């Protein structure tokens, strides 16, 4: 019996101290203003101020666009991958970049997108002239999508790989065109993977703050950027926590909408 | 697709691979450039590697990062394995709530983890620095280890443990001689995963690191904000190979664990 208690203590302590306590604290902190007085003011400010509401809508809109771009790129990738002979090897190659430090990948784009950088050199070479690429919304979305692609490809690939090939043969035997087979058989069966992918991409897209800083040049403010700014720059922890609570709510909404995707198409390696 | 004839699918895939790998190769190529920018290649040189190894601050930070990662993943592996054993022993709703609590830090956005840990350390009066970073890394690595060990525990046939008891093993002997060797591949995989999570973490560390202490990701961030510095390129090339080694190590372990499964796991299908 002593052994059981001995095992339970560290893990339970971890749950209490590092899972429950921080969540309670961020919720608690959201009811205090910058001078440390208890107030509902943060929520009142959040709900009435145009700035915060606009920022939230913007953040959701960008996250939506990033997720959409990632999905549009990743679905065909997963589809083609799934038909290759050594598909596990190719999948590994898609996943490999996720093991490389996020900051380094982002840093590469600072060089690629700069005024005299490689992409602009190429644009000039093909006669399109150079453009301001860094610090634009488009470059922010491109880099975010670049980072998220493997996380979208993996669950979609898994759900496509699980589709029984005889279903597709049956559909063809019954006279369906390739397009009909795709829309009526393949796509519905791959939906759990798509949902898991959306979940894996949308939530980080709401909260990424270092890409907005390094690539977006502070033009794009996401919920994550706002939290970082309130905590580390303006030191208004109350307001930062309030936005944090909003972000947690947003996370639950996303998880609720894409709910069943997680169990079916999600984890599997 | 049998022979190498042209398909649109293949072309598309090639394009995706180019996009995925071009930025990484780009960084690595310019780390060998004699110039100072990532615009024009100025001929081969090891200059930036020499700069990197002469950069005392960077070396200290690399060592800090490694110490935090190795310690955090080791401690997280121990606590996480205990956690998996606790979850395995639990039943019904208690088990489900333990699993949900375990996954909270897996699904929470990094900013939330960072901000809430910052409040937590401030309330407790823990000074920001090595200790706060280490504790945070241990905290977010534990659920990863649990998720890696738990499937192995579920695959372990209960009859094996019963057999150990029948043959007179004590609880401790059953654990150390039967259970732990059987789930060892999961534990190693968990350790590797935790190591990469810790090495790569930026957002959480950024919140809880304070002034005096820095890790690689945080340092790269602050240098990248000042613009291009080819020392970072040299660093990224080295880190790419470290990541590659970790990937190879991880896949070796999972492959090994696959073989092990077939020997140990008598009962299949109750994983999950």
């Amino acid at each position: 019996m002593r052994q059981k208690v001995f095992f339970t203590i560290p893990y339970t302590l971890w749950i209490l101290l590092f899972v429950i306590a921080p969540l309670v604290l961020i919720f608690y902190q959201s009811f205090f203003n910058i001078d440390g007085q208890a107030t509902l003011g943060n929520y009142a400010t959040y709900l009435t101020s145009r700035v915060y509401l606009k920022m939230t809508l913007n953040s959701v809109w960008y996250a939506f666009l990033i997720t959409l771009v990632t999905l549009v790129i990743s679905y065909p990738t997963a589809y083609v991958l799934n038909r290759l002979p050594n598909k596990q090897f190719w999948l590994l190659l898609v996943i490999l970049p996720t093991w490389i430090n996020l900051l380094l990948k982002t840093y590469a784009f600072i060089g690629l997108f700069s005024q005299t950088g490689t992409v602009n050199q190429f644009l000039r070479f093909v006669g399109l002239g150079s453009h301001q690429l860094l610090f634009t919304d488009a470059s922010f979305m491109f880099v975010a999508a670049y980072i998220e692609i493997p996380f979208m490809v993996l669950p979609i690939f898994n759900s496509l790989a699980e589709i029984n090939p005889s279903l597709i043969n049956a559909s063809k035997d019954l006279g369906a065109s390739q397009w009909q087979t795709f829309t009526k058989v393949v796509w519905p069966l791959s939906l759990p993977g798509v949902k898991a992918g959306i979940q894996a991409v949308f939530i980080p897209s709401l909260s990424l703050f270092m890409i907005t800083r390094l690539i977006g040049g502070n033009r794009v403010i996401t919920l994550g950027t706002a939290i970082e700014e309130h905590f580390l720059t303006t030191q208004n922890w109350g307001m930062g926590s309030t936005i944090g609570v909003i972000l947690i709510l947003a996370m639950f909404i996303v998880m609720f909408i894409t709910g069943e995707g997680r169990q079916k198409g999600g984890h599997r390696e | 697709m049998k022979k190498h004839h042209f398909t649109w699918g293949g072309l598309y895939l090639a394009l995706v691979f180019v996009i995925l790998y071009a930025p990484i190769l780009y960084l690595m190529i310019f780390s060998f450039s004699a110039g100072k920018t990532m615009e024009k290649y100025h001929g081969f040189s090891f200059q930036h590697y020499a700069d990197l190894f002469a950069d005392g601050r960077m070396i200290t930070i690399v060592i800090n990062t490694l110490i935090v990662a190795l310690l955090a993943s080791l401690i997280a592996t121990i606590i996480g394995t205990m956690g998996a054993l606790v979850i395995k022993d639990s039943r019904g709703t208690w088990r489900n709530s333990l699993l949900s609590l375990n996954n909270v830090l897996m699904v929470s956005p990094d900013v939330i983890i960072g901000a809430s840990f910052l409040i937590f350390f401030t309330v407790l009066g823990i000074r920001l620095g090595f200790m706060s970073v280490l504790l945070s890394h241990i905290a977010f690595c534990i659920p990863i280890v649990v998720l890696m060990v738990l499937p192995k525990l579920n695959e372990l046939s209960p009859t094996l443990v019963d057999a150990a008891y029948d043959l007179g093993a004590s609880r401790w002997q059953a654990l150390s001689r039967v259970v732990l060797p059987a789930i060892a591949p999961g534990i190693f995989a968990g350790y590797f995963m935790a190591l990469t999570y810790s090495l790569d973490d930026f957002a959480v560390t950024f919140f809880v690191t304070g002034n005096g202490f820095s890790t690689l990701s945080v340092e790269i961030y602050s240098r990248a904000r000042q613009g291009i510095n080819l020392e970072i390129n040299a660093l990224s090339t080295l880190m790419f190979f470290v990541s590659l080694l970790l990937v190879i190590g991880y896949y070796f372990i999972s492959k090994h664990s696959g073989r092990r499964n077939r020997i140990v796991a008598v009962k299949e299908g109750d994983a999950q």
Side-chain angles (χ1 to χ4, degrees), chain A residues 1 3-4 6-12 14-23 25-27 29 72-78 80-81 83-85 90-105 107-119 121 142 146 149-150 199 203-204 206-211 213-214 218 223-225 227-229 231-232 237 240-241 243-245 247-248 251 255 262-263 267 269, chain B residues 1-2 9-10 12-13 16-17 19-24 26-27 30 38-40 79-80 82-87 89 98-99 101-113 115-124 135-136 138-140 142-143 146-148 171-172 175 192-193 196 199-203 206-207 216-218 220-221 223-225 227-233 235-237 239-240 243-244 246-247 250-251 272:
Chain A
M1 215 50 221
Q3 187 194 335
K4 208 167 185 176
F6 174 74
F7 277 166
T8 314
I9 288 171
Y11 187 68
T12 318
W14 168 74
I15 286 186
L16 288 176
L17 288 178
F18 288 98
V19 178
I20 296 173
L23 281 180
L25 279 172
I26 203 168
F27 192 67
Q29 186 80 43
V72 168
I73 297 173
S74 303
Y75 198 94
T77 309
V80 178
L81 270 181
R83 312 178 92 184
L84 292 179
W90 294 106
L91 181 69
L92 179 65
L93 277 188
V94 173
I95 297 169
L96 189 63
T98 62
W99 287 62
I100 290 156
N101 195 303
L102 192 65
L103 268 299
L104 290 177
K105 285 184 280 186
Y107 167 77
F109 283 99
I110 300 178
L112 279 167
F113 284 164
S114 72
Q115 197 66 256
T116 49
T118 310
V119 173
Q121 284 171 18
F142 183 86
Y146 169 80
I149 284 172
Q199 196 176 333
I203 298 169
L206 277 178
S207 58
L208 283 171
F209 70 89
M210 107 293 168
I211 300 180
R213 291 263 189 258
L214 292 176
N218 293 350
L223 288 172
T225 322
I227 295 171
E228 187 249 352
E229 197 155 298
F231 268 91
L232 300 176
W237 288 16
S241 301
I243 302 170
V245 171
L247 180 55
I248 293 172
M251 185 183 94
M255 285 172 70
R262 198 162 190 92
Q263 289 113 35
H267 295 293
E269 282 191 44
Chain B
M1 292 305 288
K2 287 278 172 324
Y12 179 76
L13 206 59
V16 170
F17 275 116
I19 293 176
L20 279 178
Y21 281 92
I24 299 163
Y26 176 76
L27 275 184
F30 274 94
M38 277 204 270
E39 285 160 18
K40 220 180 180 168
I79 302 179
M82 291 179 180
L85 289 167
V86 171
I87 292 178
D89 275 349
L98 272 180
L99 274 172
L101 282 171
N102 184 65
N103 290 350
V104 165
L105 289 185
M106 294 294 293
V107 294
S108 299
D110 285 352
V111 257
I112 297 290
I113 301 177
S116 61
F117 281 8
L118 176 62
I119 304 175
F120 176 70
F121 290 131
T122 313
V123 168
L124 285 187
L135 285 172
S136 315
I138 294 171
F140 71 67
I142 287 175
V146 172
L147 289 182
M148 293 298 216
R171 262 190 86 95
W172 172 250
L175 183 75
F192 260 86
M193 262 309 182
T196 42
L199 283 175
D200 273 358
D201 178 69
F202 165 68
F206 189 66
F207 271 88
L216 262 181
S217 296
V218 175
I220 295 170
Y221 176 75
R223 292 201 186 187
R225 290 199 82 174
I228 301 297
N229 175 351
L230 291 191
E231 227 182 285
I232 300 181
N233 293 49
L235 182 69
S236 68
T237 309
M239 283 174 76
F240 178 78
S243 319
L244 214 58
L246 283 173
V247 174
Y250 177 72
Y251 276 90
Q272 222 71 172

Side-chain angles (χ1 to χ4, degrees), chain B residues 137-167:
Chain B
H137 281 223
I138 294 171
F140 71 67
C141 285
I142 287 175
I144 304 158
V145 177
V146 172
L147 289 182
M148 293 298 216
V149 174
L150 206 53
K152 287 274 161 297
L153 265 180
N154 287 333
E155 278 170 17
L156 176 72
S157 164
T159 49
L160 273 180
V161 184
D162 290 341
Y165 286 135
D166 285 348
L167 294 170

Side-chain angles (χ1 to χ4, degrees), chain A residues 171 176 178-189:
Chain A
S171 155
Q178 266 210 318
W179 176 248
Q180 280 173 321
T181 307
F182 177 75
T183 52
K184 303 271 159 121
V185 180
V186 177
W187 172 257
L189 285 173

